[in-house]
Each structure stands twice: as structure tokens, then as C-alpha cells.
Amino acid sequence: MLFGRNKKNPIKLVDKGVVEWRYTTCGYCSTGCSIEVGLDQTGTAVASRGVADADVNRGKLCIKGILEHELFRKTAGRGDKPLLRDYRHETFREVSWDAALDKTTAEIKRIQETYGRDAFSIVSTGQIMTEEFYTLGKLARGVMGTNNYDGNTTLCMASAASGYKRSFGSDGPPGCYEDFDHTDCLIAFGSNLPEQHPVIYWRLKEALEKRKFPVIVVDPRVTMFAQMADMHLAITPGTDVVLLNAMAHVILKEGLHKQDYIDAHCADFEAFKTEIERWDPYTASQQCGVDEDTIRNVARLYAKAPKAMSIWTMGINQSTHGSDGVVAINNLNLITGNIGKPGSSSLSITGQCNAMGTREWSSCSGLPGYRVLEKEKDREEISKFWNVDPEFFPKKRGMFMTDILPAIETGQIKGLWLVATNPMTSMPNTSRIRKTLEKLEFLVVQDAYSDVETNQYSHVFLPAAVWAEKEGCFTNTERRVNLIRNVMPPNGESKPDLWIFNALAKRLADGKGPSFPETAEAVFEEMKVLSKGEDRILDISGMSYAKIEAQRGMQWPCREGDETGAQRLYTDGKFQHPDGKAKLIPLAFVDNNERPDDEYPFWLNSGRVVEHFHTRTRTGKVGNANKFSPTPYMEMNPDAAAEVGVSHGGYARLTSKRGEAVVMVQLTQRVSRNMVFIPFHFHDCVNRLTLGLLDPHSRQPAYKQCSVRIEPAADQVAAAAANAAARAY
Ligand code: SF4
């Protein structure tokens, strides 16, 4: 029955009194959505909306982006004044910027003079601007000279970067979102796109509505993405390399590979073929849990598709075989000729808004612009450009973040500077991290929020501006450099990270060494000079702030004189290894991780929910995001729950060999009988339990694979008491 249309109330949007919309880029995930923030007559940020003519998001935003203007509100926990305490357990006192920076400078100098330059270490982030990363790198490598400098991107994207370097000779995702519009087959490994990257998912859905092609999701859990896929392969955690080797086995055995492409563009095919011979689908199915017929069908589907592509996120990266998993995906795409063509790609879906920027320009893994410490030519170039003695640079990269924290335990590292990262919540094995931070002689925390858990252990807190309270660039998943225009002035006395780095550089350099431009745009112009060159893949010399804003982002490489950037890498089949070829790398598989046993019979898996971002430093304070997802919970299979006596909406205590945590139970068929899932965003929760064994190449922790036992917990009071006791443990 039709109701009278005229009588229906039209949908009305609340008028928020916006008088001006300001262009910028979303500061959460790496999708890179162009966003406008609406200001009312008083200059208060009251609304956010997607930019319609931006190619990435075409007017769309996810829930986090829609609420992003709320970050400018003066919420509890926003840092607005520098804080200092002389002893760790004293209460903070507010101090001037000079006092906080002088204290930090004095402690850095004291520790480096007493114990050596590498005894003071820096761990940064994927959250600040690329220009800020470049400046911090110059300060760390060119002034302080510590080799123990890394980013928290080791926790999320290190395996992708490592796998790209091993296969192609350089970091840098080869594909782009537009590949969805051309591909004939897509496999997603360990990526729950609708919840993690909703706008990229929408781009995929849009492509599928125009032109149907098979979508295959490989994930141990029946995620939202798995539910919409044509095929879901519920793989045993951590065994993606086994599945991918078996797919390669089928492709080679049945002659479905592209021999011409392999001959022209790949090295080491014979060694690869010998290893792959061992991985017949039956043997592989015993380890990876995917039956042999399905392995054969998927391998044929992928290899026979005229254009096929693979995407992945943390399900691959956060594993003891993370880097190998990425190499295995690259192997698959190389033998099927699926690199560098529209619709044919290996495309890692990045986590943080500027995890790419730190990989490109921060000097964490070496020197800026994908240069490395191990090459004399790279050291010479940068030392000349920065006015630094080339011998000041180490000849090999130092520790990763996941090695820096254990080096504090052993006394090798005495001082630490954390920039927009929160290891008390993000690192595996919380109890161990707490004890580690307590061992430091000096800890400085630089963050937009003074209530980040890690700040409880600091001596100095430096309040930083958040996101669009400053200016600069982020690089997104598809190598697109986007501009963040300043929308609001920084909160209280907080300062842009660039200002903080420059202020410390002045104090630490004593007028010697490199120069430090003051504005983000001047830093960008300096980076452009360094990026230029025919042999440089990461060339941004054809970009400018004005062009980036006008085009709503530009992809690199974009060489001097180019009107716009290149959508894809390796279109000519020339790779970055010295011989110009990609490497086909044979991958053995050693099952070295913790697995369920009689005492700890459940797999523990972790991941994200759409409302929150990382450790909830920001989204934990944003009204509706926090209301929709206020508390940690555990997904558990109803049959398993009945066996251990746990009920829906009740509480359960999880115990691993590291510690215990109590969470609310949500019964669902999304997880199998021997697996549970907990979102990773909450403090004192899943990372109390995780083991986090490290990948040997990328040093990324295997967050998603450990084992636990589960028992009922009485109520919320018991839950709080147990968690408090666990904190003291
Ligand atoms: Fe921001 Fe990512 Fe959401 Fe886009 S998808 S609005 S970039 S959080």
C-alpha cells in the first residue's frame, strides 16, 4: 500500500549555522578522504562533509570522518600546556615551553654523553605530517645521531614495506583504487575492508555494481567483508604463505603462469619453482585448513582472469610470516603477470593516515626519499644536502620499535622520546611494557592528548597540535599526497609538531649542522629537491601545495614538469633491484607460533571496529563514536560458550601465558568454535594477553595469533577487580 507522498515529512538536516567550509584531509585512516570542516559565525568547527570532486572519496566519509570536527573541541585530556615532573611518580606541574624544552635538551645530551648516542632513542608515529617526519628524521639522523629511531608503523605496515622491498627492490604500493574498475578477480587477505576502510570498500562496491567480478576473502573470521564475498576461505591463522604457495603450485603445474612476463621481468624463477613443487594442495590443506579443491579452484580463477589483484591488511602483516606473506602475494602476481596494469596489482591497504609518509620521508629505516644507510652514495648525497659529516651516519639501520623496548629492559637504552604513539595500549604484553617504561631514566611524551596511558610514565609532556590545527601532507594507501590545510589554531598552548622539532633542533644543534625551515611548505620544497631524479621512484618534484589542493591529491611519482602523478608503479616491467627485475622468492614455512593446546584451547584474534581508531586516544572522546562502541567485548561461538558456561552479555575471564583480562561476551557465528575475537582499541584488554612474536624480516609483532583459556566471570564488579589486579601484576 502506498502512503500519500505529500504527507510524508521530508528528511531534514539540522542547520548547524555553517558560514564557511574549509578544505583539508581526514586525519584517521590511510584512505585519504578529502574533507571540509564547517565553521559557524564564532569560528567554532561544527560540521564535517566529504568533498564531492575528490577522486578518493567522491563526497563520502565514514563515521569517523563525519564526526572529525569534534576533535577541535576542548575535550578532557587534550594537552594544552607543557608539563614536567622531576621524578616519575610526582604529579605533573605546568611549565613554560622554554622550561620543558630545556629539560628535554639537557636530558638528551646527558644520556648521549654518558652512555653513547644510541642510548637515547626515538619512536614516532604514522599520524603527523610528512614535512614533520622529514624534519624529525633530519634532527634524529643529522643532529642527535641516534641510530635507534623508528616509527610505530613497525606495528602495522612494516611487513608490507619489507615484502615490497624484497620482491620489487623498493617500498611503494604498485596499484591504486581505480584498479577496482578494471580487475576481473580480487582476493582480499586478512582485510575487513567495510569496517577498517569503509570508503575504499565503497569504491569496490561501486565498481562491482557496474561490472560483476569474483571477490574472494581469506580470513579466519566471518567478517563483514567475508559475508559479502563470493568465496570465503576460513584459513588457519598465520598460514597464508602455505595457501599462496599451494596456489602457485597449481598455477605452475597446470601451465597457467605467464612465462613471457616471468622471462622478461623476473629473476630466480628456477629456485622458486623448486620450492613450489613441494606445496601440493593436499599437503597445504593439512596446514592451512582450506580444502584442496578450493585451493585449486581459487588458483585457476585468479590465474585465468585477464586482470587480477590482491589487497591485504593486518591479517597478513601482523604475523611471524608477515613479510613472507607479502612476498607470497607478490610472487602470485608476478607469475600471473598481474603487476603494473590497470586492474592487476598487489595493493597493501595501509592503516594510519600517514604511515606512508613515515615510510617515505622520516629516515626511520635509513635516509629520506627511500635512501638507505647501507649505501655510500645515499649517505654522501644526504650528508652534502644537510651539511653533515658523512661519517656521522651509521652504515646500517638501528633497532626497530619492537627491539627498542626490549633494549630498555636490558639497559642498552636509557632515554626515550615518543611522538604520537601509545605503546602502553598498542604493544603486546602490557605488563612487560609497563615495567620496561619504568626502567627509563628519561621519557618525553609528545602528543595532542595528555591522558594517553603512556604519559603516566613520562618526565616531560609536550602538547602537540592535532591534525588540521596545522598544515602539511599525508600520503595515502595509493601513494596519493594529500594536503591538510590548517582549519583552526592549536588548542591552548599546544604547538604543531614541526614547531617542536625545530625548537629542539635549535637547542641541540648549537648553530651547527643542517638548517631547519620554519614552514611546512618550505620543508616540502626542500623534499622536492631531494626527490628529483630519473632513478628515483619516489619523485614529488612536479608537485606543489597549490596543485595538490586543486587536484585533490597527487600520486607519486610526479616528476618535474608533469601535470599530474602516475597511478601505477612498474608499468614498464622495470623494477628497483639493480638488475631491473623483480625477484621470485622461494618461501619455506616454519610453524613457529603459539597454537591452542589442552591448557589454552582457543585462538585469540584481534582487529578493529569501525567507530574507533587505534588506541582510542581521539575516538574515545568523540561523542557518538564512543557511544556506539563504548566497551571492549569478545566475539565467541555459541557452542563453545555453552561448553565453558559463558553467556551472551555476561562476562568472561581470558587467560594466556602473559596475563588475564575480563571482557563482555557477544555470542556470534562469526567466529569458529576454537577462536575468539576482541577489538584491539581498548587499554588493559587484548594486549594483556598477546604474545606478539616478531617477524624476522619486518620485526612486526604477530598480534593475531596466540592461545587463551576462557572461564565465566561473575559480573562487572568482578571484571573491574580482575582487571585492576591484573594491572598490578
Ligand atoms: Fe577518514 Fe578513513 Fe573514514 Fe575516510 S575512511 S573518512 S580517511 S577514517
Side-chain angles (χ1 to χ4, degrees), residues 26 28-29 31-33 61-62 64-65 198-199:
C26 177
Y28 284 116
C29 87
T31 303
C33 297
L61 295 174
C62 79
K64 292 187 286 290
V199 172

Side-chain angles (χ1 to χ4, degrees), residues 107-166:
E107 285 296 310
I108 293 172
K109 284 186 172 171
R110 179 185 69 76
I111 287 171
Q112 290 196 307
E113 280 162 18
T114 313
Y115 305 106
R117 290 199 316 226
D118 291 344
F120 191 89
S121 114
I122 305 169
V123 176
S124 82
T125 179
Q127 297 291 316
I128 59 177
M129 313 296 178
T130 307
E131 296 81 349
E132 294 172 334
F133 283 130
Y134 173 73
T135 303
L136 175 61
K138 199 194 279 187
L139 172 59
R141 297 261 177 230
V143 176
M144 293 166 63
T146 176
N147 198 13
N148 293 326
Y149 160 50
D150 195 22
N152 67 7
T153 40
T154 289
L155 309 185
C156 56
M157 294 310 294
S159 294
S162 159
Y164 283 139
K165 286 179 196 168
R166 290 166 69 201

Side-chain angles (χ1 to χ4, degrees), residues 189 240-258 262 269 272-273 275-281 284 295-296 298-300 302-303 327-336 584-587:
F189 294 90
D240 304 82
V241 171
V242 173
L243 172 67
L244 281 150
N245 275 350
M247 285 174 64
H249 178 101
V250 174
I251 290 166
L252 295 184
K253 267 272 174 302
E254 299 187 7
L256 301 173
H257 55 294
K258 299 280 185 301
I262 296 169
F269 179 57
F272 173 74
K273 210 163 82 175
E275 174 65 32
I276 287 302
E277 188 65 36
R278 300 197 301 122
W279 292 99
D280 65 278
I295 294 174
R296 286 194 188 92
V298 170
R300 289 171 190 146
Y302 199 83
V327 168
I329 290 170
N330 295 338
N331 285 342
L332 174 71
N333 286 320
L334 288 168
I335 61 169
T336 53
L584 283 167
I585 302 174
L587 300 165

